[in-house]
């Protein structure tokens, strides 16, 4: 059965094959095919280095897994697909990915939304690029959440380790939401890996980052979704829909670490060969 994409996906001419692709094939190819001249592509930052050859392979592997499971991928540049999915579910719009709060558009951000064959929402995630010489100063200034001059922008007192910082092209992902009925099926891991692939495909990110909440600063939470480090960032932070103040931890891995992760993921999925949702457990 041919699956129908919802929303405006990336141009179908990004697909390298000759036949009419399914929605998931188009979505995978949107990440996979480098160097294609399109209006959207022309607006993106020019990469400093070639795309990792394993990135398009993993994108296609994940698209096949979703196809077999009856999941529809909608992968778009810009935050709009994520905003629509979150709003549809009555969720909290993270200001980092909300154009009303932050400066971002199709040139420096992207969305992943997963639905079933009937169009019902299952999961979503968002990603954006920061280019900065000092990520810690960006966080301290409130720039992670709000653009300069926004009424809610305020300086923040961080608890980052002394001397800790990141610089360069920093891909930051978040805004993860999963339908409660689908929790435990690793869809959060899947969407995180897909937006990380967008960070490689479109931004050639030097760092892949995100944030997680934890109730205590005295112990580090587990490293989620293949991130390599968990760093205390902001203490006693309150956000909507949470009943207690929690600590915000920064999670990150370098591009070199992600490239090693890519090679490992591709090899594991190729060796397994089943191409079903259980295979997502192999994405370490």
């Amino acid at each position: 059965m041919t699956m129908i994409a919802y929303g405006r996906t990336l141009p179908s001419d990004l697909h390298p094959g000759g036949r009419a692709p399914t929605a998931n094939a188009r979505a995978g190819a949107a990440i996979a095919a480098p160097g294609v001249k399109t209006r959207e592509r022309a607006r993106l930052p020019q990469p400093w280095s070639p795309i990792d050859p394993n990135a398009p392979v993993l994108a296609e592997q994940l698209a096949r897994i979703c196809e077999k499971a009856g999941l529809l991928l909608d992968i778009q540049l810009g935050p709009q697909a994520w905003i629509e999915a979150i709003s549809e579910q009555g969720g909290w719009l993270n200001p980092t990915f909300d154009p009303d709060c932050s400066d971002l558009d199709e040139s420096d951000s992207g969305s992943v939304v997963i639905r079933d064959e009937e169009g019902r929402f299952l999961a979503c995630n968002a990603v954006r690029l920061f280019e900065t010489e000092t990520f810690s100063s960006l966080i301290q200034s409130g720039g992670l959440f709000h653009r300069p001059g926004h009424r809610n922008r305020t300086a923040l007192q961080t608890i980052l380790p002394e001397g800790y910082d990141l610089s360069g092209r920093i891909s930051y992902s978040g805004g993860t939401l999963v339908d409660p009925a689908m929790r435990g099926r690793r869809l959060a891991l899947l969407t995180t890996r897909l937006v990380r692939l967008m960070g490689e495909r479109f931004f050639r990110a030097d760092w892949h980052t995100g944030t997680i909440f934890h109730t205590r600063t005295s112990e580090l939470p587990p490293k989620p979704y293949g991130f390599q480090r968990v760093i205390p960032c902001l203490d006693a932070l309150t956000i909507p829909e949470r009943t207690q103040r929690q600590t915000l931890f920064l999670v990150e891995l370098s591009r070199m670490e992600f490239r090693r992760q890519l090679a490992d993921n591709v090899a594991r999925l190729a060796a397994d060969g089943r191409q079903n949702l259980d295979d997502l457990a192999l994405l370490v």
Side-chain angles (χ1 to χ4, degrees), residues 169-248:
R169 299 157 71 88
I170 298 171
S171 178
Y172 179 84
S173 62
T176 308
L177 183 66
V178 177
D179 176 21
M182 293 297 292
R183 289 174 186 167
R185 303 295 304 275
R186 301 186 176 92
L187 293 189
L189 173 61
L190 173 60
T191 60
T192 300
R193 194 55 47 90
L194 287 169
V195 294
R196 199 173 296 170
L197 283 168
M198 293 184 80
E200 167 66 16
R201 162 67 176 88
F202 295 115
F203 308 145
R204 305 299 197 277
D206 301 308
W207 299 92
H208 297 268
T209 67
T211 49
I212 58 174
F213 283 92
H214 195 56
T215 55
R216 293 185 297 275
T217 58
S218 58
E219 60 182 49
L220 292 179
K223 292 180 285 190
Y225 310 134
F227 286 107
Q228 296 301 297
R229 283 165 294 281
V230 180
I231 312 293
C233 183
L234 294 167
D235 195 15
L237 191 67
T238 301
I239 68 168
E241 302 178 355
R242 293 181 186 266
T243 58
Q244 60 186 144
R245 294 165 70 85
Q246 298 186 356
T247 298
L248 187 75

Side-chain angles (χ1 to χ4, degrees), residues 107-277:
S107 71
D108 57 9
S109 62
S111 307
V112 171
V113 180
I114 300 179
R115 299 181 183 273
D116 66 14
E117 293 178 336
E118 304 301 320
R120 289 184 291 263
F121 170 85
L122 298 179
C124 67
N125 210 323
V127 64
R128 63 167 302 175
L129 176 70
F130 290 101
E131 294 190 78
T132 178
E133 294 182 359
T134 167
F135 195 45
S136 64
S137 295
L138 179 78
I139 297 171
Q140 290 164 359
S141 72
L144 182 64
F145 305 109
H146 298 95
R147 63 172 174 268
H150 192 277
R151 63 186 181 278
N152 291 333
R153 178 154 171 163
T154 183
L156 300 170
Q157 184 66 45
T158 66
I159 55 172
L160 292 165
E162 184 176 357
Y164 176 83
D165 210 348
L166 301 177
S167 64
R169 299 157 71 88
I170 298 171
S171 178
Y172 179 84
S173 62
T176 308
L177 183 66
V178 177
D179 176 21
M182 293 297 292
R183 289 174 186 167
R185 303 295 304 275
R186 301 186 176 92
L187 293 189
L189 173 61
L190 173 60
T191 60
T192 300
R193 194 55 47 90
L194 287 169
V195 294
R196 199 173 296 170
L197 283 168
M198 293 184 80
E200 167 66 16
R201 162 67 176 88
F202 295 115
F203 308 145
R204 305 299 197 277
D206 301 308
W207 299 92
H208 297 268
T209 67
T211 49
I212 58 174
F213 283 92
H214 195 56
T215 55
R216 293 185 297 275
T217 58
S218 58
E219 60 182 49
L220 292 179
K223 292 180 285 190
Y225 310 134
F227 286 107
Q228 296 301 297
R229 283 165 294 281
V230 180
I231 312 293
C233 183
L234 294 167
D235 195 15
L237 191 67
T238 301
I239 68 168
E241 302 178 355
R242 293 181 186 266
T243 58
Q244 60 186 144
R245 294 165 70 85
Q246 298 186 356
T247 298
L248 187 75
F249 287 82
L250 179 70
V251 290
E252 47 103 326
L253 80 166
S254 69
R255 186 179 187 221
M256 184 61 68
E257 289 168 326
F258 180 49
R259 294 183 71 176
R260 290 197 293 265
Q261 188 179 83
L262 274 174
D264 179 81
N265 289 175
V266 166
R268 285 171 179 259
L269 291 177
D272 182 79
R274 291 176 298 171
Q275 296 182 5
N276 59 38
L277 285 180

